[in-house]
């Protein structure tokens, strides 16, 4: 752990959004031919990664990432060092699904301990219904995408690390003008450029997490809540009817 720089900023929290997960594609003679040397029983190529939301650089706060794969895979513990402007990526091939432990190592200036995330590698289409699985089979060029959105929270960071977190930084892919475009840099009251933790307004190819996605999920949750409340009301009515009938039967039995 690096020496503490300055003091912690009490009552201050800084968060940075990022994405982690896997993308898999079955081998196919035309669309995804199997490379030479790949074992015969391997059916898919797949990638596990950690990257910034909207491809914004993360290496100013994330130093390296350790991917712990299944023990049957040679050299199953892999360490990926950060390269400015690039995602933390690991490419592999295989035939089975398993849980991947993803350990995040922060830059020395943070004085933060490593944190571990867990992600299940998906090679085959998945979903709650067959319809959802079929949609996954026919979209994204046959890729099986299993991504998760996360927010890294730094609670009461040290002064020196706070300066690193809030200093100016350009995104890896400059935003384009037009509908849904937004600045990746914001200015503080003092006019100093700060790193933005803002989430894109709308989805675009390769970026499925945005305010648009958030609103869709909120709508689904509201619809689910309405269904649950309706089911609870119906269940309550049925219980009350049965309790009433039970009392009637008891009363009739007492008279007899």
């Amino acid at each position: 752990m690096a020496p503490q720089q300055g003091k912690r900023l009490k009552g201050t929290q800084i968060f940075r959004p990022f994405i982690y997960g896997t993308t898999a594609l079955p081998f196919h003679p035309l669309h995804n031919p199997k490379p030479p040397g790949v074992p015969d029983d391997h059916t898919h190529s797949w990638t596990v990664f950690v990257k910034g939301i909207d491809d914004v650089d993360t290496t100013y706060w994330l130093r390296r990432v350790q991917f712990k794969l299944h023990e049957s895979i040679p050299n199953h513990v892999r360490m990926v060092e950060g390269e400015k402007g690039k995602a933390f990526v690991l490419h592999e091939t295989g035939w089975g699904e398993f849980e991947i432990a993803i350990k995040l190592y922060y830059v020395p200036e943070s004085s933060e301990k490593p944190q571990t995330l867990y992600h299940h590698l998906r090679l085959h289409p998945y979903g709650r219904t067959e319809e959802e699985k079929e949609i996954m089979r026919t979209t994204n060029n046959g890729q099986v995408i299993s991504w998760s959105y996360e927010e890294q929270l730094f609670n009461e960071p040290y002064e020196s690390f706070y300066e690193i977190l809030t200093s100016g930084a350009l995104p890896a892919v400059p935003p384009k003008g037009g509908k849904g475009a937004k600045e990746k840099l914001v200015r503080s009251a003092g006019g100093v450029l700060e790193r933005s933790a803002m989430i894109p307004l709308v989805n675009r190819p390769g970026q499925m997490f945005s305010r648009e996605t958030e609103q869709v999920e909120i709508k689904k949750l509201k619809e689910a809540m309405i269904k649950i409340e309706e089911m609870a009301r119906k269940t309550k009515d049925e219980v009350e009817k049965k309790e009433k009938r039970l009392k009637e039967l008891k009363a009739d039995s007492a008279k007899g």
Side-chain angles (χ1 to χ4, degrees):
M1 182 175 293
Q4 298 178 3
Q5 300 293 328
K7 60 182 180 180
R8 286 191 178 274
L9 298 175
K10 299 296 182 182
T12 299
Q13 291 184 328
I14 298 287
F15 82 92
R16 290 293 175 263
F18 68 98
I19 306 169
Y20 68 96
T22 54
T23 301
L25 186 65
F27 286 124
H28 186 280
L30 297 177
H31 309 301
N32 186 31
K34 184 181 292 187
V38 172
D40 293 337
D41 59 349
H42 284 200
T43 58
H44 292 71
S45 59
W46 56 267
T47 298
V48 60
F49 68 88
V50 174
K51 67 177 183 177
I53 190 78
D54 208 22
D55 293 323
V56 171
D57 181 45
T58 62
T59 56
Y60 65 96
W61 60 266
L62 187 59
R63 182 182 183 183
R64 62 168 67 97
V65 175
Q66 175 186 283
F67 298 100
K68 189 175 182 180
L69 312 178
H70 194 274
E71 292 181 357
S72 63
I73 297 176
N75 187 26
H76 70 283
V77 179
R78 315 279 181 86
M79 189 72 78
V80 179
E81 298 290 338
E83 292 185 52
K84 189 174 182 179
K86 295 185 179 180
F88 296 84
V89 180
L90 181 64
H91 302 286
E92 259 295 347
T93 65
W95 57 269
E97 300 181 346
F98 55 88
E99 187 176 67
I100 302 173
I102 303 173
K103 196 169 186 178
L104 308 180
Y105 290 85
Y106 308 107
V107 295
E109 293 86 351
S110 71
S111 295
E112 298 286 350
K113 296 180 180 179
Q115 302 290 327
T116 302
L117 304 170
Y118 296 93
H119 181 80
H120 189 79
L121 168 64
R122 298 280 191 174
L123 298 183
H124 309 284
Y126 60 94
R128 292 169 293 181
T129 65
E130 286 300 321
E131 182 180 2
E132 289 179 347
K133 294 178 183 178
E134 184 58 29
I135 291 174
M136 186 170 288
R137 290 188 187 97
T138 56
T139 56
N140 300 310
N141 297 317
Q143 293 183 110
V144 176
I145 294 176
S146 177
W147 296 2
S148 295
Y149 171 86
E150 186 61 83
E151 292 180 355
Q152 175 62 58
L153 178 65
F154 295 104
N155 188 42
E156 299 185 344
Y158 286 103
E159 290 175 323
S160 60
F161 187 46
Y162 177 83
E163 291 299 321
I164 291 174
L165 288 171
T166 58
S167 61
L170 288 172
V173 180
K176 297 180 179 179
K179 184 178 180 181
K182 65 192 308 181
E183 293 182 349
K184 293 298 183 299
L185 295 178
V186 295
R187 289 186 182 274
S188 66
V192 179
L193 284 174
E194 295 185 352
R195 297 179 190 272
S196 173
M198 298 172 70
I199 300 171
L201 291 177
V202 297
N203 292 345
R204 62 181 178 80
Q207 300 293 343
M208 63 175 66
F209 297 101
S210 66
R211 294 300 181 194
E212 180 183 11
T213 304
E214 184 179 63
Q215 291 304 312
V216 169
E217 292 301 316
I218 290 174
K219 182 180 178 181
K220 288 181 180 178
L221 288 173
K222 288 181 178 178
E223 292 173 349
M225 285 298 296
I226 292 173
K227 290 182 179 179
I228 291 172
E229 289 172 358
E230 178 64 18
M231 292 172 62
R233 186 187 63 78
K234 290 182 178 179
T235 300
K236 182 180 179 181
D237 291 344
E238 291 175 2
V239 170
E240 289 177 349
K241 288 178 181 179
K242 290 180 180 180
E243 287 178 343
K244 182 179 179 181
R245 179 55 180 160
L246 180 60
K247 288 180 180 179
E248 293 173 349
L249 291 173
K250 288 181 178 180
D252 291 342
S253 177
K255 292 178 181 178

